[in-house]
Structures are given as structure tokens and as C-alpha cells.
Amino acid sequence: MYRREFLKTLALAAPAGALVPYSKMFALPAPAGAVVPYFFQIAAQERKKVKITDVKVMRLKMSKGAHEMPLVKIETDAGVHGIGECHHDITGLGAKDTVLNAFRAMLIGQDPFDIDKLTTEMAWRTSYLGGYHGAGMHAVTGCEVALWDLTGKLLGMPVRKILAGGAFTDKVRAYWTSQPRNPLDPASCKEWVDYIKGSVQKWTAAKCHRILRRPGGEALNRELSNQELDVLVQEYTNIREAAGPYFEIAVHFHWELDYINALRVARALEKIRPWWIEDPMPPNYTDQWVKLTAASPSPILTGENLYTRRDFLPFITNGAVNIIEIDISMAGGLLEAKRIADLAYVYNIPVSTHNVMGPVATIASANCAAAMADFLGHESFDFKNGPRAGETDVIIYDRELIQDGYIQLSDKPGLGVEINKDVAMKHLMEDETWWG
């Protein structure tokens, strides 16, 4: 169906002033209380007349400190499009190849409102690439996010308002993944805290990397010496003293410890009252996670390397963690992440999000987090200074992305975001063109 016919049908079907404008699609304001009933009635009549006409991908890299950014665009014959961002692989070519050569033909001609059906079909199509893991699921998620952005625009509603029951909040608490330049130096810790207080972002929580670097650093094993443990304690004690008693501090590992050393760390850091101990052991499920969580005086969290409900299920149902962490940009989509959170809610386990991607993925993930009942914090980065400064320049957004400790969500339809072509063109990766 062509855009002009689609809009003409809407205009004829609706009483004057019943529709909210989106990108000049609808010109008249709606009387109070008229928008939702009329719009959804009309959308129900017309939605099957909207079809997907094309799927496009381009890869950006905004800075040396950023991951590559595979962006997906889904177009329709109504003249409305949706945008998503896939999780990174090494170059982004894995996601791009999957989207263009496995999903594009599947999606063209389909009804964009059938998000669950289309996502299931895409996941089945790529299941042989890694059993619902890896670059195949990154591609699934990027397309699924674009479908939500698209349908939100068609319905004139923000994604968080239409995702499985609506939103609990219109802003999402952010935590900053960062640490002082030298956490063993109290002056450096104070400098870091002063920067947070003076920034418009004003985080109230941070995830701080440990000084320890293993395996893959000095030693390819998971054992801690007493000296290394003492250094960790001093690091986080300094950060706590600089930040004060109520600033939340997450302790960040990368699957580096075995059970007994993870427990040693959890006990040694109890006095700093960590928000959580993140990924202390390898990401696969074993009964050792249950033992660690039961014995630890500090909250235990994992999840950033898990995909779909299948991976999260044993951790949740066996009480193997205190908190789960979902990387929404790779776990299977916004709806899948919401289902994971709902499962955790039944078991009284709160949720946080892992997020290392760009502003499109961040905004999509935060819209999903806003629809979760028991949500703690959303990972974010400093887009004002440092290695990832300027990344938000690639989007057109109607507000500061992070302000006063929260990710700010737009009230515009869909994700409320578009790509700034002038900026994107300067950051295209090799052999890429504008939505090429």
C-alpha cells in the first residue's frame, strides 16, 4: 500500500482532529481523550495494508573507543521506516550479512505488526549459526528493534508504551561504566567523583573495573593471591570513601575467577556495600553459581553473555544469582528481554542491563527497561568526554540522552530517534554507503 493511500484512508476514517501528527503525517491536534480510541480503531483496520518493502544496513564506527555500529532500517509502502542497532561482532559484517542475505527476503512483503512471528522466524532461520547465540541473534535483535520503532511510529506511540503492557516509568536510572584513572590514589578518586557531580549526566551509580586482569593478563588461571585481593579491597575502599555511602558501586569482573576466589572477593568487599559483584565466574550455568550466591554476603549478578530465556532459565529458577543482567541488544529482542524480566520477577529477582553499544541501541534498551517492573540500572557511557565523546551526534533526539543520573526517553513515536546523515557519512566504515 502506498503512503498517500494509507494516509488518505486514515484521514477519511477519523473524525476531524482525531489523530496525532507524526513527521507531518497528520496535521490536526486531537481533542483530549480522542487519540487512543480512534487511532487504534483505524490502525486495526489498516495495519494489514502496510507491508515491508525493503531492509537496509550500514555500519558506522564513531570513535576508536567505540564498537562498530551495524544499523538496520526497515522500510514500508506507507512511507514510514524503523531503525534498529545490532550488537557488535568483530567488524559488524556478521550481522550485516545475516540481515541482508538471510532476513531481507523473509521480511519483504510482511506485515510489520507481526513482530513476534517475524522474530521467531528469523531466530529459527539462524539457529544453525550457533543455536540462538552469537552474530545470528545480534542480527535478529537489530531487526526486531527496527520493527518496534516502525510500529510505534505507525501507531503514534513510544515503544515503551506499546511493549507488552506499557511503561512503569518515563526515565531509566543509568550507571556509568568507569573508574578513577588510578583508583589506588585517593586524589584520583576524588577527581573522578568531582567530574560526576559537575557533569550534566550526574550518575548516581557506576560499574568500576577491577585492577586485576586475568585470565589473559599476567596469569592464565583463575586464582587470586592474597596480595591481589588486598589491592582489590584498597581500590574499592578508596572509591567508596570518595563517592560517599549512597553512591552505588558495582564491582566488574569478566568471568575471571573460580568459585572459591569469587567467594573470597565477595566476602572481602562486603564492607564497601557493593551494588553487585558482576560476572565473577565463567558465564555457563553450573551448580557453583547456586553455591556462590547462597554463601556470598554481597549480591551476585550475571547475564551479559546469555541469550534468550533458554540461557537465563536455570539461573533464575535455581536461585543461582541475586540479580540478572540482560544485554538487550543481543539477547533476542525487546519482547524477549521483557519476557526474561517477567520470569525473573516471578522469582523475586531484579534486573539490570548490560549495554556497550551506541545511542540507538541504548535508547531501545532503555525503552524496554522502562517496561520492567523491578529494574535497577542501565549501563551507559560518557558521551560528553573521553573515548566515546560525540557518539550521540549521530542521532537526532529531542533531549539530552543522559541527565541527572537517568536515561531520558522521548515521547515521540517509536524510539523517537533518527540518524543524522551528515554525521553518519563521516563515520561510515570501509566500503559502506548511506543505507547501502
Side-chain angles (χ1 to χ4, degrees), residues 292-328:
L292 176 62
T293 297
S296 172
S298 303
I300 300 298
L301 170 149
T302 200
E304 72 173 74
N305 260 356
L306 304 182
Y307 292 78
T308 77
R309 285 162 286 174
R310 296 172 179 85
D311 284 359
F312 282 92
L313 183 65
F315 285 93
I316 293 171
T317 58
N318 293 314
V321 289
N322 300 112
I323 307 163
I324 63 165
E325 182 176 60
I326 310 170
D327 191 316
I328 296 174

Side-chain angles (χ1 to χ4, degrees), residues 1-319:
M1 182 181 187
Y2 294 104
R3 179 175 185 268
R4 183 177 299 173
E5 296 170 353
F6 174 70
L7 300 179
K8 182 179 179 181
T9 303
L10 290 180
L12 292 173
L19 301 176
V20 173
Y22 168 68
S23 298
K24 300 181 181 179
M25 285 169 59
F26 313 116
L28 298 175
V35 178
V36 172
Y38 282 124
F39 197 90
F40 280 98
Q41 179 183 359
I42 297 163
Q45 298 168 1
E46 298 302 319
R47 70 180 186 89
K48 289 190 177 298
K49 298 181 181 180
V50 181
K51 299 297 181 183
I52 295 170
T53 56
D54 208 352
V55 182
K56 300 176 178 179
V57 181
M58 65 177 174
R59 297 176 302 133
L60 308 180
K61 190 173 179 67
M62 297 302 296
S63 68
K64 290 183 179 180
H67 292 291
E68 74 284 352
M69 188 187 300
L71 296 175
V72 177
K73 182 181 183 183
I74 296 180
E75 298 178 345
T76 66
D77 57 4
V80 183
H81 66 266
I83 295 172
E85 180 180 348
C86 305
H87 194 76
H88 69 90
D89 42 68
I90 302 300
T91 64
L93 286 172
K96 180 175 182 176
D97 175 45
T98 304
V99 172
L100 294 182
N101 296 309
F103 297 162
R104 181 174 179 271
M106 291 173 55
L107 293 173
I108 289 176
Q110 296 295 317
D111 179 351
F113 284 86
D114 291 332
I115 297 174
D116 200 0
K117 171 194 168 187
L118 296 175
T119 303
T120 301
E121 289 177 347
M122 288 187 287
W124 283 358
R125 174 67 176 81
T126 58
S127 60
Y128 63 88
L129 296 177
Y132 303 104
H133 294 86
M137 288 306 296
H138 300 175
V140 171
T141 304
C143 291
E144 195 256 16
V145 168
L147 288 169
W148 279 110
D149 183 42
L150 170 58
T151 55
K153 289 172 180 175
L154 289 171
L155 292 173
M157 299 286 284
V159 167
R160 67 187 181 279
K161 297 293 187 181
I162 61 174
L163 181 64
F168 287 89
T169 182
D170 291 320
K171 60 181 181 179
V172 173
R173 189 181 187 183
Y175 65 85
W176 183 25
T177 295
S178 173
Q179 60 284 324
R181 287 182 295 175
N182 179 9
L184 296 179
D185 177 11
S188 178
C189 293
K190 182 180 184 303
E191 177 186 50
W192 180 74
V193 170
D194 288 344
Y195 173 74
I196 292 173
K197 292 179 179 178
S199 169
V200 67
Q201 297 161 117
K202 285 187 175 62
W203 297 274
T204 60
K207 180 163 69 180
C208 302
H209 287 272
R210 67 281 171 240
I211 293 177
L212 176 71
R213 297 285 181 182
R214 67 171 64 212
E218 294 180 2
L220 286 172
N221 62 60
R222 303 188 184 279
E223 307 306 312
L224 277 181
S225 68
N226 287 331
Q227 182 181 10
E228 288 173 311
L229 185 58
D230 287 345
V231 168
L232 283 174
V233 171
Q234 188 61 58
E235 172 189 0
Y236 288 102
T237 298
N238 288 349
I239 295 172
R240 168 58 71 209
E241 290 177 352
Y246 305 123
F247 186 91
E248 299 288 7
I249 300 171
V251 178
H252 192 196
F253 288 91
H254 266 132
W255 327 289
E256 294 168 307
L257 306 175
D258 56 19
Y259 163 74
I260 192 60
N261 285 287
L263 183 57
R264 290 174 67 205
V265 167
R267 287 172 173 168
L269 294 179
E270 178 185 8
K271 63 179 66 176
I272 74 144
R273 295 194 296 179
W275 206 10
W276 61 69
I277 308 290
E278 180 165 331
D279 293 330
M281 298 193 297
N284 57 294
Y285 176 80
T286 71
D287 291 343
Q288 295 291 70
W289 281 102
V290 179
K291 289 174 58 179
L292 176 62
T293 297
S296 172
S298 303
I300 300 298
L301 170 149
T302 200
E304 72 173 74
N305 260 356
L306 304 182
Y307 292 78
T308 77
R309 285 162 286 174
R310 296 172 179 85
D311 284 359
F312 282 92
L313 183 65
F315 285 93
I316 293 171
T317 58
N318 293 314

Side-chain angles (χ1 to χ4, degrees), residues 413-433:
L415 298 177
V417 64
E418 293 294 342
I419 303 301
N420 185 325
K421 182 177 181 179
D422 292 338
V423 175
M425 291 293 289
K426 297 176 183 177
H427 295 279
L428 289 169
M429 296 183 69
E430 186 178 0
D431 297 327
E432 292 293 316
T433 58

